[in-house]
Amino acid sequence: MKMRKILEKRAAKLKAKLQMLEERAKGETLTRDDLSDIESQVEEVTVELDEINDAIAELPEEDATELGDVVEDLGAATDEIVEEVTPTDDPEAVDDEQRSRVLGIIGKGISSRGEEKVKKLSQRSAFLRYLAGRITPNQARSFGVGFNNGKVLVPEELNKEIISYLQEENPLRKFATVHSTKGTQGFPVQVKQAEANTVTSERDENNLIPFTDIEFDDVYLNPIEFDAIIKVTKKLTHMSDFDIEAIVLEELKKAYLRKETFWYFSNPENKGALVKKAVTFTGKGDNNYLKVIQLKNALPTAMRSGARFMINRAAQTLLESMLDSNGNPILKDSGNDDFDYKLFTYPVEVTDYTDKYDESKKQFDPTVPVIYFGNFSYFHIQDVIGSMEIEKLTELFTRENKIGFKIYHLNDGQLIYGPFESPVYNLDLSTPSTGE
């Protein structure tokens, strides 16, 4: 028997005991001694029930079939409870306030957090099973899955799971400033800098505080509809040996990630994309090692807190291959060692998403070394809460014997900074040097 079922059975027994104690507390012949005994038992039961619910919450999730079995087991476990109550022969009046307090404690114990967890798991599994074609829309609705004009709304828990995946895989999400909003309206990010006034003498009517010119700019994030399509063969959806729900979810995550990272890093249509807004830095001379040092020192001091390098694989290879005049690696102890992902004391994030994009050829060139350095918290992302939907495309790929899934989400990501600050630089080591 699985651990979840064991814990659920024990929780059911404890809840059944609470229900019987509740009936006993409502009895007309209840005495103070009875109430004291009930309160003592309730305290023991609720403490154990809380421990069980916490343990259940930490267990891995199960699919809808297993959850259905659990519900049946809960009912059976409840029927197993037999509680004998022997009223005392010396009844005393019980204060209504005392009785209400004990009944309140019992009620809280019966409506535990575990039930809410099971409800969320059932909704998640029903959502995935609907996508896999294993239950009908009406069955999915019965589990609380929402629909909007033919599109199925991603449940909150699953939405968080997808966003968490994106945060792990998209390096800009790790270090950017994320704004979660409920509406689709643009989110303003204001950048400004004012000149401070220097006063060498006391103010008087002839030495008033002058008006200060403030440079400012309001930049609006503009949430757009991100969409990505995956295709799954109909044969696969009917093969019970495969966890088709997990396959669909994994492929949706990957497809959406590709669209999002392209928009953030390289898309020519995004005016705030990293490749367009990062300040181009060429460096002087022909020595690449010295160029990287120049790049590091070009970043203003005010931007250095939290600064880091973000490079592609080609740049990593180039950096690790740099040799001194004696043929020894410059950035690591030996040729066989990897550098510890710190460069001149700053962290290094290695990702393929920084590869150079050729707009004319519509493809990436992973052979060009690309290095970004700066404070990536100036990259702003707006996520619209509750906007993630998935559309099932049953007809579009019928001739291929495939089912399509289209994921939607409203968000935007831009590197935003004012005229007096340069938070991120881009060093393209394929560009010619400017000379000494």
Side-chain angles (χ1 to χ4, degrees):
M1 183 181 294
K2 291 187 177 182
M3 180 57 68
R4 179 181 292 276
K5 291 187 178 182
I6 295 174
L7 292 174
E8 292 283 8
K9 279 191 173 183
R10 179 57 184 163
K13 290 182 179 181
L14 292 172
K15 289 180 184 179
K17 186 172 183 178
L18 285 175
Q19 289 172 343
M20 302 195 80
L21 288 171
E22 182 180 36
E23 292 299 318
R24 182 179 168 188
K26 292 177 180 178
E28 295 181 0
T29 59
L30 184 69
T31 68
R32 290 181 180 176
D33 288 340
D34 288 337
L35 189 62
S36 177
D37 177 55
I38 290 172
E39 186 171 2
S40 176
Q41 291 188 56
V42 167
E43 184 177 353
E44 293 177 3
V45 171
T46 52
V47 168
E48 184 179 355
L49 195 55
D50 284 342
E51 292 175 352
I52 289 175
N53 288 331
D54 290 338
I56 290 174
E58 295 176 1
L59 291 176
E61 298 177 350
E62 299 181 70
D63 65 25
T65 304
E66 291 172 329
L67 288 168
D69 294 340
V70 168
V71 173
E72 292 180 5
D73 290 339
L74 292 179
T78 304
D79 295 338
E80 295 174 5
I81 302 299
V82 176
E83 180 76 18
E84 294 184 0
V85 180
T86 305
T88 61
D89 296 329
D90 186 21
E92 296 179 12
V94 176
D95 188 90
D96 288 340
E97 185 176 340
Q98 291 177 316
R99 188 197 301 263
S100 297
R101 179 172 57 82
V102 174
L103 290 173
I105 296 172
I106 294 173
K108 289 181 180 178
I110 294 174
S111 58
S112 65
R113 297 189 304 274
E115 292 178 346
E116 184 64 25
K117 179 71 174 177
V118 170
K119 180 181 177 181
K120 289 181 178 179
L121 291 176
S122 298
Q123 188 184 51
R124 179 188 187 279
S125 293
F127 172 83
L128 292 174
R129 284 176 170 267
Y130 164 74
L131 291 184
R134 295 185 174 177
I135 62 174
T136 65
N138 287 337
Q139 289 174 317
R141 287 190 181 92
S142 69
F143 281 95
V145 178
F147 289 80
N148 179 28
N149 295 325
K151 302 170 188 174
V152 57
L153 301 177
V154 178
E156 180 183 355
E157 291 298 306
L158 198 53
N159 193 319
K160 291 178 181 177
E161 183 179 330
I162 294 174
I163 295 297
S164 296
Y165 172 83
L166 297 175
Q167 289 170 339
E168 288 297 320
E169 299 297 326
N170 182 351
L172 276 179
R173 273 192 176 269
K174 291 182 186 178
F175 313 117
T177 301
V178 179
H179 310 277
S180 297
T181 64
K182 293 183 178 180
T184 59
Q185 75 280 358
F187 186 89
V189 178
Q190 189 174 74
V191 289
K192 61 183 178 180
Q193 177 171 314
E195 288 187 17
N197 296 305
T198 303
V199 181
T200 58
S201 61
E202 281 191 47
R203 297 285 185 192
D204 55 30
E205 65 274 9
N206 298 318
N207 187 20
L208 300 177
I209 300 174
F211 289 102
T212 302
D213 291 332
I214 298 179
E215 296 279 354
F216 68 92
D217 188 19
D218 280 332
V219 179
Y220 278 82
L221 294 169
N222 181 29
I224 61 172
E225 186 179 88
F226 278 72
D227 54 59
I229 296 178
I230 69 164
K231 294 187 288 185
V232 178
T233 62
K234 290 183 179 180
K235 179 180 179 181
L236 182 60
T237 62
H238 293 291
M239 296 176 68
S240 58
D241 293 341
F242 290 92
D243 188 353
I244 183 61
E245 296 95 333
I247 294 173
V248 169
L249 180 59
E250 190 67 22
E251 291 305 314
L252 282 171
K253 288 177 180 178
K254 292 177 181 177
Y256 184 82
L257 176 67
R258 288 191 292 268
K259 285 293 186 78
E260 181 178 90
T261 51
F262 179 57
W263 178 258
Y264 290 178
F265 281 89
S266 310
N267 196 319
E269 297 179 10
N270 182 7
K271 63 181 181 181
L274 189 62
V275 71
K276 297 188 75 172
K277 283 298 293 286
V279 178
T280 302
F281 185 85
T282 305
K284 297 180 179 179
D286 298 321
N287 189 311
N288 286 331
Y289 177 75
L290 295 179
K291 284 184 180 181
V292 177
I293 292 179
Q294 294 165 18
L295 169 68
K296 172 182 73 75
N297 293 334
L299 189 70
T301 304
M303 300 290 167
R304 295 200 173 198
S305 178
R308 65 183 61 246
F309 287 91
M310 194 174 291
I311 66 177
N312 65 351
R313 298 289 175 183
Q316 180 186 9
T317 301
L318 183 147
L319 293 171
E320 292 179 337
S321 303
M322 289 180 177
L323 306 177
D324 61 19
S325 57
N326 297 320
N328 297 316
I330 297 177
L331 298 175
K332 52 185 182 176
D333 295 332
S334 71
N336 294 325
D337 293 334
D338 196 1
F339 71 90
D340 62 358
Y341 290 93
K342 275 202 171 183
L343 191 57
F344 306 122
T345 74
Y346 290 97
V348 179
E349 185 80 14
V350 182
T351 173
D352 296 333
Y353 301 126
T354 57
D355 285 346
K356 189 171 184 178
Y357 181 70
D358 189 329
E359 188 175 355
S360 61
K361 297 180 180 179
K362 305 295 182 184
Q363 63 184 26
F364 290 94
D365 185 356
T367 65
V368 177
V370 177
I371 300 176
Y372 290 98
F373 178 66
N375 189 329
F376 293 94
S377 66
Y378 283 78
F379 194 92
H380 292 264
I381 296 172
Q382 180 183 0
D383 277 320
V384 180
I385 301 172
S387 67
M388 191 172 290
E389 301 175 340
I390 294 179
E391 182 179 4
K392 195 172 178 181
L393 307 173
T394 54
E395 305 295 333
L396 188 59
F397 306 107
T398 302
R399 295 180 63 183
E400 302 178 41
N401 278 330
K402 293 179 180 178
I403 299 175
F405 301 93
K406 191 173 187 179
I407 184 171
Y408 296 82
H409 183 45
L410 295 175
N411 84 2
D412 189 20
Q414 297 184 39
L415 181 61
I416 299 174
Y417 55 89
F420 300 101
E421 52 197 10
S422 299
V424 180
Y425 286 89
N426 174 16
L427 174 61
D428 183 348
L429 292 174
S430 66
T431 57
S433 62
T434 59
E436 291 286 348

